[in-house]
């Protein structure tokens, strides 16, 4: 495999590879163990491996730090392609506030380089310390900062990627504004490596805000709704807003939410927003500034990842019904569904985490809940989408076919087929149907 | 302006009387245009030197009608293009040979404004400005603001991923589109995106925004609305030359400030503006003026404006003016917004170039652009979105002068090459269309273009929708690399004037609305 039988370009490439031990570390990601693990040293090697794999009919899963591999479907792969040797900052144009990095570079390394120039990349997904930038973009994940700064897609200016046919292709560029050509990099965001393996990314950085402050209040359900509506009405901007339930069992009902508002900017701007936030929150339980503020949010996103064997379900819903917040109603619907499907004495749910502005509610279960919960959640009109964000293979194999309907499946299949005709990359990740040729006349 | 208006080979056919009747039956008697007088306007967009007459123009009134038109055209193998207001500046809406224009002027309803979830759903023919007008009573606005916003449509904005002065802070169209209804080239209606979260699977909305009308026709758009800022501050500073103004922009960015807009006008532009109805009181002796705007809460806006003022003084601005009130602010912007209209005083034709460079390279690139103007003996002015590194070198010329026209084309190409050499690219907001299609190899190699073609073909396998745009054919790539492009025939171009569409003698022939 590593020499790509019968293929010249792959044959010239010496790629580090190893046989996978029987009890391998990928069992939480893949339905069955891969045959090989390879670590290409550059984009050319990456492309050569893909070409050889396609030629041999082998399936490949690109793998960064593995932080977001347990979401959306269960890929089946013969070869795991680790991006651990595709690391480093290629160029940081401080004056332009742009940076070019190899895909396997950790978010922490990118953040460190940015911070040294008083800049930052406002992305804070789970596993932020060692998550790779390629993985974060491929998985299309975003943390609480999405509220104020948008998803990773909004900071992505361009990519270089290796395709299943062994070609390396670019789109976009290291420019903050650019409409030259089709933005394939936007298509790669959230594609979970089903179209290509990202090898290099161009990103936009932002000036590091002078002040980072987090206000925390403890509110009951109606209090959360009142805060949410009041904060919306101010029109003020927060970097992030989140609510976390401390309840250990939804069966008992959520009694209290910890509501966090993160304000970033100049001292005077933060002070002004601080006043508005306090009036919406009421009495504060806690105030964190600077590094304490940042670490408060790192703790919060860690909670989104369940303990080993646990499950995170991500539910989306329109957060407002006119001037009224729907958060309480959404939580009640979830409590109702979970309550009906779990045993009274099973403390399987350990929390709810809400991104009120985005209409996202995460339910974290300490152990996999009954599958019927997913169908029941989907049946609730209040909720517009359900997906697994984290969970064991066995659970995802059962749940995602029910929850993971994709929009316009035939078109998505044609796109997949256009870029990866033999299904080399991440098969099983999304439910692409078989391609039915259309239009050819 | 390139050179080669030649479109890729599309299935060329003339429609029979029966076929036109079938189209008429779908859209209604009044909504199918077929005579030369009726279809004349649709020969080109705002790049007026590239033209092709459509065989018919259909004006559907709904997604269902538009889909029926498309389905029928696909059935009879007739190529077609969607058109909004025709303000595009890259020839993206030029009809294919023997093709039909599907115009969205009859689809102008604002379907819903959801004040509390901050979204609006509008039909594709709604103008950009009308979305903000509908949102304003709710304390919201639609952020992308191309200068043609009074005329250009949301459908066109989605196709082009349009920007505008304030996308420096708010981002271009792609950041504000949450979902859409669109019609595929075989007539299938698709619903994609979501008001909340990202749907599972490939980001179809993300790839359709900016695909320049070559993948699908968007018919309804779900957009994100933004709270109207409570406070705005506008500063005008004047400088001895463009390089000094660019250095100020660089300093503002490096200082970590985040204005909502940063725009530069050079001396020739200032002269034209001040001699026109758009006079804004810019200092006529200045080599350049820089407009900087902040919006948001009073504190952040005040801090930003104070710091900018301090930086400008430190860097040697000749004068500095801060808008006292809304009227004053509108006056300061009047010159910028009217700059392209004012250019009509300089020459009968205006060629508006569009390119992007890293902001850190602005002063060097501007110096090179001015040199290229001199080398080619052309009248070159610069008015541009400096904060984004988005240049608009403008050439005032007379296309009846064949020699001058040839120099303009060569200079345009040299400017693009200089921008690309500095790490830049071909277009910041006008798109590639047909105008820059054959320059794509400046930036992309064949494998890059092949993947883009593969994506387009997955949507548009028979190339019936807007053929020959954005992506060069393999053949034209080779020709361009070999320097075998051929130029417009100036004699032919001069003939356009006989149509007399330019009644306003102060306006140059190329419409500049879309800037």
């Amino acid at each position: 495999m590593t020499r790509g039988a019968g293929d010249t370009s792959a044959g010239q490439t010496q790629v580090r590879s190893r046989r996978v031990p029987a009890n391998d570390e990928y069992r939480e990601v893949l339905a069955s163990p891969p045959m090989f693990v390879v670590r290409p040293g550059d984009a050319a090697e990456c492309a050569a491996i893909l070409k050889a794999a396609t030629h041999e009919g082998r399936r490949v899963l690109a793998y960064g730090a593995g932080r977001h591999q347990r979401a959306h479907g269960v890929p089946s792969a013969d070869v795991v392609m680790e991006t651990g040797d595709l690391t480093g900052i290629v160029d940081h144009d401080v004056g332009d506030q742009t940076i070019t990095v190899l895909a396997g570079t950790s978010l922490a390394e990118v953040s460190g380089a940015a911070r040294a120039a008083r800049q930052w990349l406002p992305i804070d997904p789970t596993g932020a310390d060692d998550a790779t930038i390629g993985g974060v973009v491929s998985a299309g994940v975003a943390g609480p900062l999405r509220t104020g700064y948008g998803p990773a897609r909004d900071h992505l200016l361009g990519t270089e990627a290796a395709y299943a046919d062994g070609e390396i292709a670019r789109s976009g560029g290291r420019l903050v504004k650019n409409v030259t050509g089709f933005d394939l990099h936007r298509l790669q965001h959230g594609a979970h490596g089903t179209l290509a393996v990202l090898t290099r990314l161009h990103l936009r950085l932002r000036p590091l805000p002078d002040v980072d402050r987090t206000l925390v209040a403890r509110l009951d359900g109606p209090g959360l709704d009142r805060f949410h509506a009041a904060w919306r009405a101010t029109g003020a901007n927060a970097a992030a807003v989140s609510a976390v339930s401390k309840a250990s069992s939804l069966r008992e009902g959520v009694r209290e939410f910890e509501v966090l508002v993160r304000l970033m900017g100049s001292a005077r701007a933060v002070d002004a927003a601080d006043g508005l936030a306090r009036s919406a929150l009421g009495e504060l339980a806690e105030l964190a500034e600077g590094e304490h503020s940042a670490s408060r949010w790192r703790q919060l996103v860690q909670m989104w990842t369940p303990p080993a064997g646990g499950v995170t379900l991500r539910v989306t819903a329109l957060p407002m019904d006119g001037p009224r917040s729907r958060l309480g109603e959404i939580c009640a619907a979830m409590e109702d569904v979970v309550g009906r499907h779990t045993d009274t004495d099973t403390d399987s749910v350990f929390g709810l985490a809400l991104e009120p502005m985005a209409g996202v509610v995460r339910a974290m279960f300490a152990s996999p809940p009954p599958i019927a919960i997913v169908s029941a959640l989907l049946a609730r009109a209040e909720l517009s989408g359900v997906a697994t964000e984290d969970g064991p293979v066995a659970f995802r194999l059962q749940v995602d076919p029910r929850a993971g309907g994709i929009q316009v499946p035939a078109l998505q299949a044609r796109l997949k087929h256009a870029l990866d005709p033999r299904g080399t990359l991440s098969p099983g990740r999304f439910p692409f149907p078989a391609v039915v040729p259309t239009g050819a006349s | 302006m390139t050179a080669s208006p030649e479109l890729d080979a599309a299935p060329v056919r003339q429609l029979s009387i029966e076929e036109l009747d079938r189209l008429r039956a779908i859209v209604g008697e009044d909504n199918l245009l077929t005579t030369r007088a009726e279809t004349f306007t649709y020969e080109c967009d705002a790049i007026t030197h590239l033209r092709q007459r459509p065989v018919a123009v259909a004006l559907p009134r709904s997604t269902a009608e538009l889909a029926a038109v498309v389905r029928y055209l696909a059935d009879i193998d007739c190529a077609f293009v969607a058109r909004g207001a025709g303000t595009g500046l890259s020839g993206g809406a030029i009809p294919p040979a023997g093709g039909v224009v599907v115009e969205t002027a009859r689809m102008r309803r604002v379907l819903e404004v959801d004040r509390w979830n901050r979204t609006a759903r509008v039909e594709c023919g709604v103008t950009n400005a009308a979305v903000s007008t509908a949102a304003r009573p709710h304390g919201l606005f639609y952020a992308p603001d191309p200068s043609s916003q009074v005329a250009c449509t949301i459908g066109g904005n989605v196709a082009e991923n349009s920007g505008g002065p304030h996308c420096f802070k708010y981002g271009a169209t792609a950041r504000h589109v949450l979902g859409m209804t669109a019609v595929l080239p075989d007539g299938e209606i698709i619903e994609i995106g979501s008001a909340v979260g990202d749907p599972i699977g490939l980001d179809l909305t993300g790839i359709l925004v900016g695909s320049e009308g070559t993948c699908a026709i968007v018919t309804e758009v779900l957009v994100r609305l933004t709270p109207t800022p409570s406070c705005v501050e506008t500063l005008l500073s004047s400088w001895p030359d463009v390089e000094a103004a660019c250095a100020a922009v660089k300093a503002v960015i490096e200082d970590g400030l985040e204005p909502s807009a940063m725009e530069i006008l050079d001396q020739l532009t200032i002269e034209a503006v001040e001699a026109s109805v758009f006079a804004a009181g810019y200092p006529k002796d200045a080599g350049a003026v820089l407009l900087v705007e902040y919006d948001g809460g009073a504190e952040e806006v005040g801090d930003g404006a104070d710091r900018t003022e301090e930086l400008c003084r430190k860097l040697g601005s000749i004068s500095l003016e801060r808008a006292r009130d809304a009227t004053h602010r509108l006056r300061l912007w009047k010159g910028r917004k009217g700059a392209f209209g004012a250019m009509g005083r300089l020459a009968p034709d205006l060629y508006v170039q569009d390119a992007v460079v890293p902001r850190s390279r602005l002063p060097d690139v501007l110096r090179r652009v001015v040199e290229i103007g001199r080398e080619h003996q052309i009248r070159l002015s610069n008015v541009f979105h400096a904060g984004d590194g988005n240049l608009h070198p403008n050439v005032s010329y007379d296309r009846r002068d064949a020699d001058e026209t040839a120099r303009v084309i060569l200079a345009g190409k040299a400017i693009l090459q200089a921008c690309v050499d500095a790490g830049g690219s071909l277009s910041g907001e006008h798109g590639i269309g047909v105008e820059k299609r054959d320059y794509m190899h400046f930036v992309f190699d064949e494998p890059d273009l092949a993947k883009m073609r593969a994506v387009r073909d997955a949507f548009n396998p028979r190339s019936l929708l807007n053929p020959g745009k954005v992506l060069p054919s393999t053949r034209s790539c080779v020709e361009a690399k070999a320097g075998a492009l051929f130029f417009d025939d100036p004699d032919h171009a001069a003939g356009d004037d006989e149509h007399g569409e330019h009644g306003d003698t102060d306006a140059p022939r190329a419409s500049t609305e879309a800037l």
Side-chain angles (χ1 to χ4, degrees), chain A residues 93 96-97 153 165 169-170 177 179-180 186 232 266 268 320 322 407 412 414 439, chain B residues 116-118 193 202-203 206 209 253 303 359-360 390 425 427 429 448 451 458 462:
Chain A
D93 186 338
D96 197 35
Q97 293 170 359
R153 179 182 46 224
D165 60 0
R170 300 164 300 145
K177 187 179 184 186
V179 296
T180 309
R186 282 212 298 271
R232 272 266 138 162
S266 70
R268 291 209 311 148
M320 300 291 288
Q407 296 178 332
Q412 300 217 16
R414 289 205 298 277
Chain B
W116 300 99
N117 288 301
R118 295 179 186 160
L202 304 177
D203 182 4
V209 177
I253 292 170
D303 286 351
R359 283 94 52 97
S360 52
N390 187 185
S425 199
S427 177
E429 55 186 10
D448 310 326
K451 294 303 173 216
R462 292 157 64 196

Short mmCIF file of all heavy atoms in Angstrom, two decimals, chain A residues 93 96-97 153 165 169-170 177 179-180 186 232 266 268 320 322 407 412 414 439, chain B residues 116-118 193 202-203 206 209 253 303 359-360 390 425 427 429 448 451 458 462:
data_model
loop_
_atom_site.label_atom_id
_atom_site.label_comp_id
_atom_site.label_asym_id
_atom_site.label_seq_id
_atom_site.Cartn_x
_atom_site.Cartn_y
_atom_site.Cartn_z
N ASP A 93 1.50 36.63 7.91
CA ASP A 93 1.63 38.02 7.49
C ASP A 93 0.96 38.87 8.58
O ASP A 93 -0.26 39.04 8.58
CB ASP A 93 0.96 38.22 6.13
CG ASP A 93 1.17 39.62 5.56
OD1 ASP A 93 1.45 40.54 6.37
OD2 ASP A 93 1.05 39.80 4.34
N ASP A 96 -1.10 41.86 7.51
CA ASP A 96 -2.35 41.54 6.82
C ASP A 96 -3.30 40.75 7.70
O ASP A 96 -4.43 40.49 7.31
CB ASP A 96 -2.02 40.74 5.55
CG ASP A 96 -3.18 40.73 4.56
OD1 ASP A 96 -3.87 41.76 4.48
OD2 ASP A 96 -3.40 39.71 3.90
N GLN A 97 -2.83 40.35 8.88
CA GLN A 97 -3.62 39.54 9.79
C GLN A 97 -4.10 38.25 9.13
O GLN A 97 -5.27 37.87 9.22
CB GLN A 97 -4.80 40.35 10.35
CG GLN A 97 -4.33 41.48 11.25
CD GLN A 97 -5.41 42.46 11.65
OE1 GLN A 97 -6.57 42.32 11.25
NE2 GLN A 97 -5.06 43.45 12.43
N ARG A 153 -15.67 28.46 9.10
CA ARG A 153 -15.81 28.80 7.68
C ARG A 153 -15.57 30.29 7.42
O ARG A 153 -15.03 30.69 6.41
CB ARG A 153 -17.22 28.39 7.22
CG ARG A 153 -17.53 28.70 5.77
CD ARG A 153 -18.96 28.30 5.44
NE ARG A 153 -19.88 28.74 6.46
CZ ARG A 153 -20.87 28.01 6.98
NH1 ARG A 153 -21.08 26.80 6.55
NH2 ARG A 153 -21.66 28.50 7.91
N ASP A 165 -7.89 11.29 -6.69
CA ASP A 165 -7.21 10.93 -7.95
C ASP A 165 -5.73 11.27 -7.91
O ASP A 165 -5.03 11.14 -8.91
CB ASP A 165 -7.88 11.64 -9.13
CG ASP A 165 -7.83 13.17 -9.01
OD1 ASP A 165 -7.27 13.68 -8.02
OD2 ASP A 165 -8.35 13.85 -9.92
N ALA A 169 -5.13 20.31 -5.32
CA ALA A 169 -5.81 21.47 -5.90
C ALA A 169 -6.07 22.52 -4.82
O ALA A 169 -6.28 22.19 -3.66
CB ALA A 169 -7.13 21.04 -6.55
N ARG A 170 -6.05 23.78 -5.26
CA ARG A 170 -6.23 24.90 -4.34
C ARG A 170 -7.53 25.65 -4.66
O ARG A 170 -8.01 25.63 -5.78
CB ARG A 170 -5.08 25.89 -4.48
CG ARG A 170 -3.70 25.31 -4.19
CD ARG A 170 -2.61 26.21 -4.73
NE ARG A 170 -2.72 26.37 -6.17
CZ ARG A 170 -2.43 27.49 -6.83
NH1 ARG A 170 -1.99 28.55 -6.18
NH2 ARG A 170 -2.57 27.55 -8.14
N LYS A 177 -10.40 39.24 1.23
CA LYS A 177 -11.56 39.41 0.35
C LYS A 177 -11.16 38.87 -1.01
O LYS A 177 -10.12 39.26 -1.54
CB LYS A 177 -11.89 40.90 0.26
CG LYS A 177 -13.18 41.24 -0.48
CD LYS A 177 -13.38 42.74 -0.45
CE LYS A 177 -14.69 43.15 -1.07
NZ LYS A 177 -14.78 44.63 -1.16
N VAL A 179 -13.04 36.81 -4.62
CA VAL A 179 -14.11 36.03 -5.26
C VAL A 179 -13.61 35.37 -6.54
O VAL A 179 -14.36 35.19 -7.48
CB VAL A 179 -15.37 36.88 -5.54
CG1 VAL A 179 -16.00 37.36 -4.26
CG2 VAL A 179 -15.07 38.06 -6.46
N THR A 180 -12.33 35.00 -6.54
CA THR A 180 -11.74 34.41 -7.74
C THR A 180 -11.95 32.90 -7.76
O THR A 180 -11.36 32.18 -6.95
CB THR A 180 -10.23 34.73 -7.77
OG1 THR A 180 -10.05 36.12 -7.57
CG2 THR A 180 -9.63 34.34 -9.11
N ARG A 186 -15.07 26.36 1.05
CA ARG A 186 -16.32 26.41 1.83
C ARG A 186 -17.04 25.07 1.77
O ARG A 186 -17.73 24.68 2.71
CB ARG A 186 -17.22 27.55 1.33
CG ARG A 186 -16.79 28.91 1.83
CD ARG A 186 -17.99 29.85 2.01
NE ARG A 186 -18.67 30.08 0.77
CZ ARG A 186 -18.38 31.06 -0.07
NH1 ARG A 186 -17.43 31.91 0.23
NH2 ARG A 186 -19.04 31.21 -1.19
N ARG A 232 -31.48 39.79 23.75
CA ARG A 232 -31.79 39.98 22.33
C ARG A 232 -32.25 41.41 22.08
O ARG A 232 -31.86 42.04 21.11
CB ARG A 232 -32.95 39.05 21.91
CG ARG A 232 -32.53 37.69 21.47
CD ARG A 232 -32.37 37.64 19.97
NE ARG A 232 -31.18 36.90 19.64
CZ ARG A 232 -30.92 36.37 18.45
NH1 ARG A 232 -31.77 36.49 17.47
NH2 ARG A 232 -29.81 35.74 18.22
N SER A 266 -12.51 46.71 23.55
CA SER A 266 -11.79 47.73 24.30
C SER A 266 -12.41 47.86 25.69
O SER A 266 -13.56 47.45 25.91
CB SER A 266 -11.85 49.08 23.57
OG SER A 266 -13.17 49.58 23.64
N ARG A 268 -13.56 50.35 27.38
CA ARG A 268 -14.80 51.13 27.46
C ARG A 268 -15.97 50.39 26.82
O ARG A 268 -17.10 50.43 27.31
CB ARG A 268 -14.60 52.49 26.79
CG ARG A 268 -13.64 53.39 27.57
CD ARG A 268 -13.95 54.86 27.38
NE ARG A 268 -14.12 55.25 25.99
CZ ARG A 268 -14.95 56.22 25.61
NH1 ARG A 268 -15.68 56.86 26.49
NH2 ARG A 268 -15.04 56.55 24.33
N MET A 320 -36.24 31.89 19.15
CA MET A 320 -37.21 32.91 19.56
C MET A 320 -38.55 32.68 18.87
O MET A 320 -38.62 32.33 17.69
CB MET A 320 -36.71 34.31 19.20
CG MET A 320 -35.39 34.72 19.83
SD MET A 320 -35.48 35.00 21.61
CE MET A 320 -36.39 36.55 21.67
N GLY A 322 -41.35 35.20 18.30
CA GLY A 322 -41.64 36.60 18.54
C GLY A 322 -40.70 37.11 19.62
O GLY A 322 -39.54 36.67 19.68
N GLN A 407 -29.56 17.05 3.05
CA GLN A 407 -30.41 17.79 2.11
C GLN A 407 -30.05 17.42 0.67
O GLN A 407 -28.88 17.30 0.34
CB GLN A 407 -30.21 19.30 2.32
CG GLN A 407 -30.67 19.78 3.69
CD GLN A 407 -30.44 21.26 3.90
OE1 GLN A 407 -29.54 21.86 3.33
NE2 GLN A 407 -31.26 21.87 4.74
N GLN A 412 -25.91 15.87 -3.51
CA GLN A 412 -24.71 15.66 -2.69
C GLN A 412 -23.93 14.45 -3.20
O GLN A 412 -22.70 14.46 -3.23
CB GLN A 412 -25.10 15.45 -1.22
CG GLN A 412 -25.83 16.65 -0.65
CD GLN A 412 -25.48 16.93 0.80
OE1 GLN A 412 -24.48 16.43 1.33
NE2 GLN A 412 -26.27 17.76 1.45
N ARG A 414 -23.84 13.45 -6.27
CA ARG A 414 -23.15 13.84 -7.52
C ARG A 414 -21.88 14.62 -7.22
O ARG A 414 -20.85 14.45 -7.88
CB ARG A 414 -24.08 14.67 -8.41
CG ARG A 414 -25.21 13.87 -9.03
CD ARG A 414 -25.73 14.51 -10.32
NE ARG A 414 -26.29 15.84 -10.15
CZ ARG A 414 -27.54 16.08 -9.75
NH1 ARG A 414 -28.34 15.07 -9.45
NH2 ARG A 414 -27.98 17.32 -9.63
N GLY A 439 -28.91 13.87 -16.66
CA GLY A 439 -28.58 14.95 -17.57
C GLY A 439 -27.80 14.55 -18.80
O GLY A 439 -27.91 15.20 -19.82
N TRP B 116 -37.04 38.72 15.64
CA TRP B 116 -36.44 38.20 16.88
C TRP B 116 -35.36 37.17 16.61
O TRP B 116 -34.40 37.07 17.37
CB TRP B 116 -37.55 37.67 17.81
CG TRP B 116 -38.47 38.79 18.15
CD1 TRP B 116 -39.69 39.05 17.57
CD2 TRP B 116 -38.23 39.87 19.05
NE1 TRP B 116 -40.22 40.21 18.09
CE2 TRP B 116 -39.35 40.73 19.01
CE3 TRP B 116 -37.18 40.18 19.91
CZ2 TRP B 116 -39.43 41.88 19.77
CZ3 TRP B 116 -37.27 41.33 20.69
CH2 TRP B 116 -38.39 42.16 20.62
N ASN B 117 -35.53 36.41 15.53
CA ASN B 117 -34.44 35.48 15.16
C ASN B 117 -33.48 36.12 14.16
O ASN B 117 -32.53 35.48 13.71
CB ASN B 117 -35.02 34.18 14.60
CG ASN B 117 -35.66 33.35 15.69
OD1 ASN B 117 -34.99 32.97 16.65
ND2 ASN B 117 -36.96 33.11 15.59
N ARG B 118 -33.75 37.38 13.82
CA ARG B 118 -32.88 38.18 12.95
C ARG B 118 -32.61 37.54 11.60
O ARG B 118 -31.46 37.35 11.19
CB ARG B 118 -31.56 38.49 13.67
CG ARG B 118 -31.78 39.38 14.88
CD ARG B 118 -30.48 39.67 15.61
NE ARG B 118 -30.73 40.38 16.85
CZ ARG B 118 -29.88 40.44 17.86
NH1 ARG B 118 -28.71 39.84 17.78
NH2 ARG B 118 -30.19 41.13 18.94
N GLY B 193 -29.84 24.71 3.33
CA GLY B 193 -29.46 25.58 4.44
C GLY B 193 -30.50 25.52 5.55
O GLY B 193 -31.43 24.72 5.52
N LEU B 202 -22.83 18.02 3.01
CA LEU B 202 -22.03 19.04 2.34
C LEU B 202 -22.75 20.38 2.37
O LEU B 202 -23.98 20.45 2.33
CB LEU B 202 -21.77 18.61 0.89
CG LEU B 202 -21.11 17.23 0.73
CD1 LEU B 202 -20.97 16.87 -0.75
CD2 LEU B 202 -19.74 17.22 1.41
N ASP B 203 -21.97 21.44 2.42
CA ASP B 203 -22.53 22.79 2.55
C ASP B 203 -22.92 23.32 1.16
O ASP B 203 -22.16 24.04 0.51
CB ASP B 203 -21.48 23.70 3.21
CG ASP B 203 -22.00 25.11 3.43
OD1 ASP B 203 -23.19 25.37 3.14
OD2 ASP B 203 -21.21 25.96 3.89
N GLY B 206 -23.05 27.07 0.93
CA GLY B 206 -21.71 27.67 0.87
C GLY B 206 -21.11 27.64 -0.53
O GLY B 206 -20.46 28.59 -0.94
N VAL B 209 -23.10 30.14 -3.10
CA VAL B 209 -22.80 31.57 -2.99
C VAL B 209 -21.46 31.81 -3.68
O VAL B 209 -20.46 31.19 -3.35
CB VAL B 209 -22.72 32.02 -1.52
CG1 VAL B 209 -22.32 33.49 -1.45
CG2 VAL B 209 -24.04 31.79 -0.81
N ILE B 253 -4.78 49.10 10.70
CA ILE B 253 -4.97 47.65 10.83
C ILE B 253 -3.97 47.07 11.82
O ILE B 253 -4.32 46.28 12.70
CB ILE B 253 -4.85 46.96 9.45
CG1 ILE B 253 -6.03 47.38 8.56
CG2 ILE B 253 -4.83 45.44 9.59
CD1 ILE B 253 -5.92 46.96 7.12
N ASP B 303 -13.72 55.29 20.77
CA ASP B 303 -12.33 54.88 20.97
C ASP B 303 -11.62 54.71 19.63
O ASP B 303 -10.49 55.16 19.44
CB ASP B 303 -12.26 53.54 21.73
CG ASP B 303 -12.61 53.70 23.20
OD1 ASP B 303 -12.73 54.86 23.64
OD2 ASP B 303 -12.78 52.68 23.88
N ARG B 359 -3.22 43.34 2.53
CA ARG B 359 -3.21 44.75 2.97
C ARG B 359 -1.80 45.26 3.23
O ARG B 359 -1.50 46.43 3.01
CB ARG B 359 -4.06 44.94 4.23
CG ARG B 359 -5.54 44.96 4.01
CD ARG B 359 -6.21 43.61 4.19
NE ARG B 359 -5.92 42.92 5.44
CZ ARG B 359 -6.72 42.97 6.52
NH1 ARG B 359 -7.81 43.69 6.49
NH2 ARG B 359 -6.44 42.29 7.59
N SER B 360 -0.93 44.34 3.67
CA SER B 360 0.44 44.75 3.97
C SER B 360 1.20 45.16 2.71
O SER B 360 2.24 45.80 2.79
CB SER B 360 1.17 43.60 4.67
OG SER B 360 1.05 42.41 3.90
N ASN B 390 -8.76 45.69 -1.51
CA ASN B 390 -9.52 45.51 -2.77
C ASN B 390 -9.36 46.75 -3.64
O ASN B 390 -9.97 47.79 -3.40
CB ASN B 390 -11.00 45.27 -2.42
CG ASN B 390 -11.85 44.91 -3.62
OD1 ASN B 390 -13.06 44.78 -3.48
ND2 ASN B 390 -11.27 44.74 -4.79
N SER B 425 -5.05 38.47 -5.97
CA SER B 425 -5.88 37.67 -6.87
C SER B 425 -6.68 38.56 -7.81
O SER B 425 -6.64 39.79 -7.73
CB SER B 425 -6.78 36.74 -6.07
OG SER B 425 -7.24 35.70 -6.90
N SER B 427 -10.01 39.07 -8.44
CA SER B 427 -11.24 39.81 -8.17
C SER B 427 -11.59 39.77 -6.69
O SER B 427 -11.54 38.72 -6.06
CB SER B 427 -12.40 39.23 -8.99
OG SER B 427 -13.59 39.90 -8.66
N GLU B 429 -14.58 41.45 -5.73
CA GLU B 429 -16.03 41.49 -5.61
C GLU B 429 -16.79 41.48 -6.93
O GLU B 429 -17.99 41.25 -6.93
CB GLU B 429 -16.46 42.71 -4.77
CG GLU B 429 -15.95 44.04 -5.30
CD GLU B 429 -16.28 45.22 -4.37
OE1 GLU B 429 -16.74 44.96 -3.25
OE2 GLU B 429 -16.09 46.36 -4.79
N ASP B 448 -6.33 22.76 -10.16
CA ASP B 448 -7.27 23.57 -9.37
C ASP B 448 -8.55 23.78 -10.18
O ASP B 448 -9.68 23.62 -9.69
CB ASP B 448 -6.68 24.95 -9.04
CG ASP B 448 -5.29 24.88 -8.44
OD1 ASP B 448 -5.02 23.91 -7.71
OD2 ASP B 448 -4.48 25.79 -8.69
N LYS B 451 -10.88 20.73 -10.62
CA LYS B 451 -11.77 20.41 -9.50
C LYS B 451 -12.96 21.37 -9.48
O LYS B 451 -14.08 20.99 -9.16
CB LYS B 451 -11.02 20.48 -8.17
CG LYS B 451 -9.94 19.42 -8.01
CD LYS B 451 -10.48 18.01 -8.17
CE LYS B 451 -9.36 16.98 -8.18
NZ LYS B 451 -9.62 15.87 -9.11
N ALA B 458 -21.20 18.86 -11.60
CA ALA B 458 -22.10 18.06 -10.76
C ALA B 458 -23.47 18.75 -10.65
O ALA B 458 -24.51 18.09 -10.56
CB ALA B 458 -21.50 17.86 -9.38
N ARG B 462 -24.88 19.46 -18.20
CA ARG B 462 -24.97 19.67 -19.65
C ARG B 462 -24.54 21.08 -20.05
O ARG B 462 -24.70 21.47 -21.21
CB ARG B 462 -26.39 19.40 -20.12
CG ARG B 462 -26.75 17.92 -20.00
CD ARG B 462 -28.25 17.71 -19.91
NE ARG B 462 -28.92 18.13 -21.12
CZ ARG B 462 -30.23 18.35 -21.22
NH1 ARG B 462 -31.00 18.19 -20.15
NH2 ARG B 462 -30.77 18.72 -22.35
#
